[in-house]
Amino acid sequence: MGHDPWSELRDRAEQELRTIEFELHLTTPGTVSDAPEDRGLFSLATHAWAKELKQSPAEIASRVARHKVGPPFVALRPEGPYANFIMEPGAFAELVLTSVGSLGERYGQSPPRKERILLEHTSANPTGPLHVGRARNPFLGDALVRSLRFVGFPVTSEYLVNDIGRQMVLLYWAVTHLPGKTKDPEERLEYRYVKLYQEASERLEKDEPLKREIEQLTQRFEGGDVRLTKDIRKVGEAILESILDSLRRVNVTFDSFFWESDAILDGSVQRVIERLMPLSKEEDGAHYIDLSSFGLEGDAAKYVFVRKDGTSLYTTRDIAYHLNKMARCDLAINILGEDHKLTFQRLKSAFSLMGIDWAPETIFYAFVNLPEGRMSTRKGRVVHLDDLIDEALDRAYVEVSKRRTDLSEAKKREIAETIGISAVRYNIVRVQAEKAITFRWEEALNFEGNSSPFVQYAHARACSILAKSNGSGRADHRLLVHPQEQRLLRRIAKFPSGLRDAALGRRVHSVAGEASEFAAQFNQFYRDCPVLTAEPESLRDARIDLVSAARIVLQNALECLGLKAPKEM
RNA sequence: GCCCGCGUAGGUUAGUCCGGACAGACUAUCGGGCUUCGGACCCGAAGACCCCGGUUCGAAUCCGGGCGCGGGCGCCA
């Protein structure tokens, strides 16, 4: 048996099914599905054959069950309209633990794949600090990067740095022209800059000369003024560093960065403009492509790529960026806020008009709102990621202190950090990306039930048992026939395929769900099956191996979500 | 108005792609469990598929039409 016991067993069941179809001369193909817990491994639903065989599903199930199944199955047991594949429990345990044993810490991984994935996520504009709404992006993105890697893909994570455009130019102007009000050395750069930016933004509304100055700066910028580009980029770099500091706190890092200004400087934006020109229409000196043949109407169909002053738009640079991306990977994935849906649809349509039959795969996530409504920096109605982290650390510290009076201060801080940060990430990532989230402190920092500490606690508990066990030399895995042991084994067996399906389906939330259910099952096993005191020794050692296998699954599930697996907490 | 997404117990949600065994969990409520390998745990009670049609042996799941909520429809990013 190899890396994925469940899929291998399922293949065997499917072979049996084909034999059955042949024996009964069936023309309608049946399907093998997972049987409910405690009722065998897989099941055949017989309803679909009722018409063809002119028998009731229950009769067919009994008839099918007379088929002699081969190993590893020992029986096909009829239950109502179903026939369930039964495997001898001891043999199942042996098979699963042999599989875990041969892979060790790598259990759950799938064989390497060739397809190179370039996954772009976060890409927040370097004009201010990250808030929780946007933080859904790095959490989702990073977990997907880790999961895809774990199941065998070479993945590069990338951050698109938007150091171009009006916002950036205005910020640059604000930073170089406005005096900073506070000299508080504690205040982070990005917070100071964002205040200056807001001030400049307000002034811009009624200040005509300033408006012209910004326009001129933009033109110089785009005209390839290297010195100005570098100066503006310096401002962007400073804020980006600050954003990346926040992200490092939550264990998110990137493999590569793409600076939009590079696409201007190397001429690729200009080449995109030249390529689009023949396809474009003109209006007041501005150029756009008409996308009305792609199901878009009105302004949505008007894809402007050159302003009347000749400068490019985000649109144009986005095309340049994606052309560049296309050459660097076999599959591109973008994690985007749902406000980018139309933009993306237009990008795809434009590509199609250009004769390019390629587009990145996209994952759109819904916004994280506050109970009072949408987060808005302008209205001061935001929760910054750093504030959420700080609060999480504080609350986690309180919880740790309550339970662990025996630990040193440093150790308590360390544990509070693993728990607090993980809780924040887990609570965002456990929900499907397309569902809107309303941010509430008590939910964002949940430490029990379906939460990261719940999963981590199970891991720590397993570690604690293993630490006291002194190895397991005489294990007889065939003794693991207790229902709780079998349920746990079943979840262990399903882990590799479950994780692979989640990664291939880009459903990170189901990794979180499975981790939580796994932990719950481990706790039930823990309650019913003593490990260290089990008799005889061959059972005790078998249980130790089971705990070890469960521990590996918990650790790897946490790892895929970007969470730490503490040995104690 | 048009386009996209979402709608499951009091609250938060899994299942929806690919239709099948009593819709699974967390939380809140009520009631239990420490002779502990770590109680951030476990057990029990009660509680849900937005509405109307259709397809099907069978629909939370597929199709059509509503209703409600979110997002979008910039020479912003």
Side-chain angles (χ1 to χ4, degrees), chain A residues 128-135 190-191 194-195 198 367-389 391 439-441:
Chain A
L130 276 183
H131 67 230
V132 173
R134 279 199 273 262
E190 49 192 347
Y191 289 84
V194 91
K195 280 182 200 153
Q198 281 166 346
F367 290 119
V368 178
N369 296 310
L370 290 171
E372 311 85 65
R374 192 169 169 180
M375 287 198 199
S376 158
T377 311
R378 203 165 41 81
K379 292 180 186 161
R381 198 169 61 201
V382 284
V383 176
H384 290 296
L385 177 59
D386 283 306
D387 297 337
L388 175 58
I389 298 170
E391 183 72 22
F439 179 86
R440 293 187 184 87
W441 283 101

Side-chain angles (χ1 to χ4, degrees), chain A residues 100-109 150 548 551-552 555-556:
Chain A
V100 179
S102 67
L103 285 146
E105 303 275 321
R106 296 190 357 263
Y107 180 71
Q109 292 183 3
F150 198 79
S548 169
R551 203 218 104 236
I552 289 170
Q555 173 183 273
N556 288 339

Side-chain angles (χ1 to χ4, degrees), chain A residues 320-508:
Chain A
Y321 172 47
H322 279 97
L323 284 173
N324 172 293
K325 231 187 213 183
M326 187 168 75
R328 289 187 285 138
C329 63
D330 302 305
L331 174 68
I333 301 176
N334 293 0
I335 316 269
L336 301 166
E338 63 179 343
D339 54 335
H340 279 64
K341 277 182 188 171
L342 175 63
T343 303
F344 188 78
Q345 200 191 338
R346 301 207 287 193
L347 175 79
K348 244 174 25 183
S349 307
F351 264 27
S352 166
L353 271 183
M354 293 165 75
I356 297 166
D357 182 27
W358 180 88
E361 198 182 300
T362 48
I363 293 164
F364 293 105
Y365 61 91
F367 290 119
V368 178
N369 296 310
L370 290 171
E372 311 85 65
R374 192 169 169 180
M375 287 198 199
S376 158
T377 311
R378 203 165 41 81
K379 292 180 186 161
R381 198 169 61 201
V382 284
V383 176
H384 290 296
L385 177 59
D386 283 306
D387 297 337
L388 175 58
I389 298 170
D390 291 342
E391 183 72 22
L393 261 35
D394 286 349
R395 293 205 197 183
Y397 180 77
V398 170
E399 294 297 320
V400 176
S401 304
K402 238 193 291 185
R403 297 160 224 257
R404 301 299 301 272
T405 44
D406 58 313
L407 293 177
S408 70
E409 185 64 16
K411 192 72 193 171
K412 282 193 281 189
R413 291 277 169 208
E414 184 195 321
I415 292 170
E417 187 173 324
T418 39
I419 308 284
I421 303 282
S422 303
V424 167
R425 285 189 62 152
Y426 186 96
N427 278 299
I428 296 256
V429 119
R430 57 179 250 264
V431 181
Q432 283 179 23
E434 54 275 15
K435 297 216 184 188
I437 296 180
T438 302
F439 179 86
R440 293 187 184 87
W441 283 101
E442 63 274 23
E443 281 169 23
L445 299 176
N446 177 27
F447 289 170
E448 47 189 31
N450 187 3
S451 72
S452 156
F454 177 78
V455 180
Q456 290 169 316
Y457 186 75
H459 179 268
R461 195 175 235 179
C463 287
S464 170
I465 295 173
L466 293 172
K468 290 175 185 159
S469 71
N470 300 317
S472 64
R474 307 187 183 192
D476 181 357
H477 297 158
R478 286 170 304 179
L479 300 176
L480 300 172
V481 297
H482 188 284
Q484 299 291 18
E485 292 168 332
Q486 285 286 307
R487 288 180 202 143
L488 188 55
L489 284 160
R490 181 184 165 107
R491 288 194 182 273
I492 292 170
K494 282 176 129 173
F495 179 64
S497 56
L499 196 61
R500 196 178 55 239
D501 290 348
L504 295 178
R506 323 291 184 230
R507 291 189 315 267
V508 181

Side-chain angles (χ1 to χ4, degrees), chain A residues 184-231:
Chain A
D184 181 2
E186 290 290 296
E187 187 179 43
R188 291 177 63 157
L189 183 86
E190 49 192 347
Y191 289 84
R192 199 170 77 226
Y193 278 12
V194 91
K195 280 182 200 153
L196 294 175
Y197 175 77
Q198 281 166 346
E199 195 183 329
S201 190
E202 274 167 38
R203 214 200 265 198
L204 189 64
E205 282 177 27
K206 43 205 173 232
D207 189 340
E208 280 303 320
L210 175 59
K211 205 176 267 181
R212 276 195 298 279
E213 193 178 343
I214 298 298
E215 274 168 27
Q216 277 167 11
L217 274 175
T218 308
Q219 281 178 39
R220 272 175 55 202
F221 189 7
E222 294 224 1
D225 184 328
V226 178
R227 202 201 155 95
L228 179 63
T229 306
K230 281 190 177 156
D231 285 347

